[in-house]
Amino acid sequence: MNREQNSRTSILNYIIALAVIFALNFILPRMMPGDPLHAIYGDEALVAMTPQMEASLIREFALDRSWTDQLLAYVINLLHCDLGFSYYYRTQVSSVIMGALPWTLLLTGLALIIATALGIILGIESGWQRGATLDRCLVAGLMFLSGFPDFFVGIILLLIFGVSLNMAPLSGAVTPYAGLKGLDYLLDALMHLILPLASLVAVQLGAVYLLTRNTIVTLLGESFILTARAKGCSDLCIKYSHAGRNCLLPVTTATGLRIPHLFTGALFIEIIFSYPGLGSLLNSALDARDYPLIQGILLIVTIAVLTANLLVDLLYKRLDPRVKYAH
Amino acid sequence: MHINPMRELFFDPLARIGLVMLAAIFLMAAFAPLLCANSPDDYTGQIFMRPSSGHLLGTDSMGQDIWSRLLYGARTSLAVAVAVAVLSASLSVFIGATSALMGGLYETFWMRVVDALTSIPTIIVMILVAAYLRPSLMLLILLLSAFFWPGGARIVRSQSLSLIERMHISAALTFGSGRRQILANHILPDLSPIVFAMMIQDARRAVFMEAGLAFLGVSDPTMISWGKMMHQALAFTYLDVWQWWLLPTGLALSLTLMGLSFIGFSLETAMNPRLKGNLLRREG
């Protein structure tokens, strides 16, 4: 299979995956017994709804017409970026999501960068001196850490630093009504960010570390390492420029594969620390049975995950010159 | 196979720790009715009781005995783990191995399905479906298996393809054995270590998913689940109850997951000879 064909099939896969999510969003509420408006908006929402609102919603979703018309109305609404109306927050779903998205992106983005960088460095150092005390401690410690489920790592950090030691704020992203400006505001946001970020990094670190370490261990037996040694490269140069560079390929692929895990991990961590991102939003939407909001959030997360995976797929082919030269 | 990875498990310290952890949880689940005096669903009347001889871990916000709920929660976790592992591994082996043997359009079709299914984020579909349909244990098991088998099928297929090239398969073909016989007598036995490793990994993911979904509040309301217990306990971190409510539950869940990942990791090391012997053990 050549390269073009390869990237074309991967794009096709993502389109199929996206279509499945869209289809589920469309079919599930309409499959429910009874009135589809009930299923789309939930029983709680209809209590607060006036007959006029109901009529306009039925018109908007084309619920009184055939299912092809309904599908058309659904697609047109999506193309307008209209994800529906959140009855719980009493505003457009898209604007509720836009309010929460930056916090999630901040959290996941920083966690991804820190966990990957730290994991690669620790992995290289410990693979380089495998069998030594440092290596054995790191392997055992990080294996132990990655055994914990995402949300329990967050809970432990919350209990130790938030509840027992009272060192960090328990919830939120900034102190409410403090009216902080400039640097104080940044510091305040950082204090709120540090525990969720630490838990997310702790959860992600183990996988990157173990992969890098194992790759280094197998790489160190290769002849190009011997060559580098023979021509008099320093240890640092061999470690990072020769072995480390070759680690980037598997690590990049694994990073791409971990992105869904990163997002779902962030959902849990945000709920634990009441961090005002998509996770907390999803939690309150699930509690309130605010179906349009649930659908909207899951749609955004899916699109984010699939886009990230696609980018990594394309990046991977750029990163590995061997793939290009082979054809 | 000259090395039997499954037998190696008993000699690897890491796997031994994992086996002990899992055995503890299994015993908890098996002997749950003998180990606790209270029924997990009974309301004892008083809420937030401190640990005592009557209630080993006290009572929760509804006055239910936490220790008995912990024991019965192990049953839910293990039931999901075993059911999903068996179901998804059977699907993986069947579809993976038959694709490798039959080839052609059949193989192309299934590999396309595998590719598409692996790109869908599992937890999102799970939340979506659970939010609309009435969540139940059966639905959870079926959905998890539906999402877990493709990864395994891909591995089984590539492994079978390399096995088919081996000499003993050509010998069997020369002696006139059919496809079914080759599959049953020559390919499946050699696949067993990989399938076992796959099942361990699926079990781990299933336990995590069950707890995670219950933690998010999308689970069968009548089911006792560690994830749900943690979700309830998290609302009361300002009281002292977290010490015997949140912490033991989280530890039990972590013990299960850790036991499974230690065994999985050890299996992987045993099957990949290049990594062997340099983990936790000093060389030379």
Side-chain angles (χ1 to χ4, degrees):
Chain A
M1 210 189 273
N2 66 39
R3 201 154 63 95
E4 253 87 275
Q5 209 174 338
N6 223 336
S7 53
R8 218 180 302 141
T9 51
S10 63
I11 291 173
L12 187 68
N13 282 332
Y14 293 121
I15 292 174
I16 293 176
L18 203 58
V20 169
I21 301 283
F22 278 127
L24 276 178
N25 266 344
F26 176 74
I27 294 168
L28 271 176
R30 285 164 179 80
M31 235 172 60
M32 307 282 290
D35 184 7
L37 196 63
H38 267 255
I40 293 175
Y41 271 84
D43 294 331
E44 286 88 342
L46 286 186
V47 176
M49 225 178 251
T50 59
Q52 287 93 329
M53 263 178 88
E54 230 172 279
S56 83
L57 281 175
I58 288 180
R59 208 165 344 102
E60 190 189 332
F61 288 110
L63 288 178
D64 49 353
R65 273 175 282 159
S66 70
W67 70 269
T68 40
D69 285 346
Q70 290 187 31
L71 184 63
L72 198 67
Y74 176 74
V75 172
I76 288 173
N77 278 342
L78 273 181
L79 287 179
H80 289 157
C81 289
D82 179 3
L83 296 170
F85 187 79
S86 158
Y87 85 90
Y88 184 69
Y89 289 95
R90 304 205 163 271
T91 172
Q92 288 295 317
V93 166
S94 42
S95 67
V96 180
I97 290 179
M98 279 309 150
L101 195 60
W103 293 112
T104 301
L105 288 181
L106 177 73
L107 185 63
T108 47
L110 277 179
L112 185 68
I113 294 168
I114 296 177
T116 311
L118 203 61
I120 290 178
I121 294 173
L122 286 179
I124 289 178
E125 290 299 332
S126 114
W128 180 254
Q129 39 180 302
R130 62 169 165 174
T133 322
L134 175 78
D135 178 41
R136 282 157 27 121
C137 289
L138 273 176
V139 170
L142 282 172
M143 284 263 310
F144 186 67
L145 193 66
S146 62
F148 285 110
D150 305 15
F151 42 98
F152 195 54
V153 175
I155 287 176
I156 289 180
L157 285 183
L158 177 81
L159 289 177
I160 295 176
F161 294 101
V163 176
S164 300
L165 297 177
N166 223 346
M167 273 166 54
L170 281 179
S171 66
V174 284
T175 314
Y177 312 119
L180 296 170
K181 289 262 158 29
L183 202 61
D184 286 338
Y185 178 83
L186 267 181
L187 267 177
D188 188 49
L190 198 66
M191 276 306 279
H192 282 84
L193 184 66
I194 206 147
L195 277 188
L197 186 61
S199 353
L200 209 49
V201 168
V203 170
Q204 298 285 325
L205 188 60
V208 193
Y209 162 77
L210 282 176
L211 181 67
T212 314
R213 180 194 172 276
N214 289 348
T215 316
I216 285 284
V217 167
T218 41
L219 276 178
L220 286 182
E222 302 273 333
S223 41
F224 71 89
I225 298 287
L226 195 67
T227 312
R229 229 190 266 276
K231 73 183 187 192
C233 281
S234 66
D235 273 2
L236 203 68
C237 169
I238 298 177
K239 259 193 276 189
Y240 287 90
S241 312
H242 289 92
R245 198 178 163 154
N246 278 288
C247 280
L248 284 181
L249 285 174
V251 170
T252 312
T253 324
T255 305
L257 293 176
R258 269 184 313 112
I259 284 175
H261 181 208
L262 184 75
F263 271 96
T264 52
L267 293 184
F268 290 121
I269 300 285
E270 281 177 8
I271 291 171
I272 292 163
F273 291 99
S274 314
Y275 202 75
L278 287 182
S280 303
L281 202 60
L282 180 66
N283 196 32
S284 47
L286 279 171
D287 276 349
R289 299 273 145 194
D290 190 344
Y291 286 109
L293 190 52
I294 299 177
Q295 286 203 350
I297 295 170
L298 295 180
L299 207 58
I300 294 290
V301 174
T302 312
I303 291 174
V305 165
L306 293 181
T307 316
N309 279 349
L310 182 62
L311 285 180
V312 170
D313 262 16
L314 299 178
L315 184 72
Y316 181 68
K317 280 159 197 134
R318 285 282 149 85
L319 258 185
D320 191 357
R322 278 170 294 191
V323 176
K324 207 162 19 178
Y325 294 141
H327 301 293
Chain B
M1 285 245 159
H2 308 292
I3 304 167
N4 184 352
M6 264 116 107
R7 200 178 314 143
E8 294 270 303
L9 276 188
F10 295 98
F11 299 106
D12 184 10
L14 191 70
R16 274 192 195 160
I17 299 172
L19 285 173
V20 170
M21 286 173 167
L22 269 196
I25 300 287
F26 255 107
L27 289 179
M28 271 173 69
F31 297 107
L34 299 177
L35 289 170
C36 60
N38 308 65
S39 149
D41 294 319
D42 276 355
Y43 302 102
T44 53
Q46 274 179 304
I47 61 165
F48 296 138
M49 273 163 64
R50 301 183 76 82
S52 63
S53 56
H55 302 280
L56 279 178
L57 289 172
T59 54
D60 63 11
S61 62
M62 301 217 275
Q64 293 164 317
D65 185 49
I66 295 174
W67 171 243
S68 6
R69 290 183 78 74
L70 195 66
L71 290 179
Y72 281 90
R75 289 191 166 186
T76 310
S77 282
L78 290 182
V80 172
V82 172
V84 171
V86 169
L87 201 58
S88 91
S90 325
L91 274 173
S92 305
V93 170
F94 180 75
I95 289 170
T98 49
S99 297
L101 273 183
M102 311 262 288
L105 207 60
Y106 179 83
E107 184 185 15
T108 320
F109 170 74
W110 280 119
M111 287 307 115
R112 184 56 359 134
V113 173
V114 163
D115 283 344
L117 273 178
T118 38
S119 357
I120 299 175
T122 315
I123 200 156
I124 288 174
V125 176
M126 302 289 301
I127 296 173
L128 206 55
V129 172
Y132 282 105
L133 308 178
R134 220 181 94 81
S136 73
L137 202 58
M138 203 57 210
L139 184 68
L140 181 76
I141 291 170
L142 288 179
L143 271 179
L144 283 179
S145 311
F147 280 103
F148 287 177
W149 73 264
R154 195 181 274 159
I155 300 171
V156 168
R157 173 181 160 272
S158 65
Q159 197 67 23
S160 312
L161 280 178
S162 82
L163 283 175
I164 289 172
E165 298 295 314
R166 300 239 178 119
M167 200 70 96
H168 66 282
I169 305 277
S170 326
L173 278 174
T174 322
F175 286 118
S177 45
R179 270 183 185 157
R180 196 171 299 164
Q181 196 182 0
I182 286 184
L183 188 65
N185 294 353
H186 301 287
I187 293 186
L188 287 186
D190 276 2
L191 281 176
S192 60
I194 285 184
V195 173
F196 186 58
M198 228 161 64
M199 285 173 79
I200 294 285
Q201 208 198 352
D202 285 346
R204 189 193 128 81
R205 285 167 71 198
V207 171
F208 175 76
M209 281 285 189
E210 188 275 323
L213 287 171
F215 185 78
L216 286 175
V218 278
S219 69
D220 188 345
T222 58
M223 211 167 64
I224 301 171
S225 157
W226 287 338
K228 201 162 62 189
M229 288 170 71
M230 291 168 79
H231 176 74
Q232 292 165 342
L234 197 62
F236 298 99
T237 44
Y238 52 87
L239 295 174
D240 274 348
V241 283
W242 58 264
Q243 292 166 12
W244 48 86
W245 188 6
L246 188 52
L247 222 49
T249 316
L251 285 177
L253 178 63
S254 310
L255 208 64
T256 316
L257 292 176
M258 234 177 255
L260 287 169
S261 48
F262 284 0
I263 295 175
F265 193 81
S266 165
L267 271 178
E268 204 181 300
T269 321
M271 285 189 295
N272 185 353
R274 278 206 284 187
L275 292 176
K276 225 181 116 192
N278 58 42
L279 194 89
L280 291 176
R281 268 175 286 176
R282 203 178 272 277
E283 271 184 315

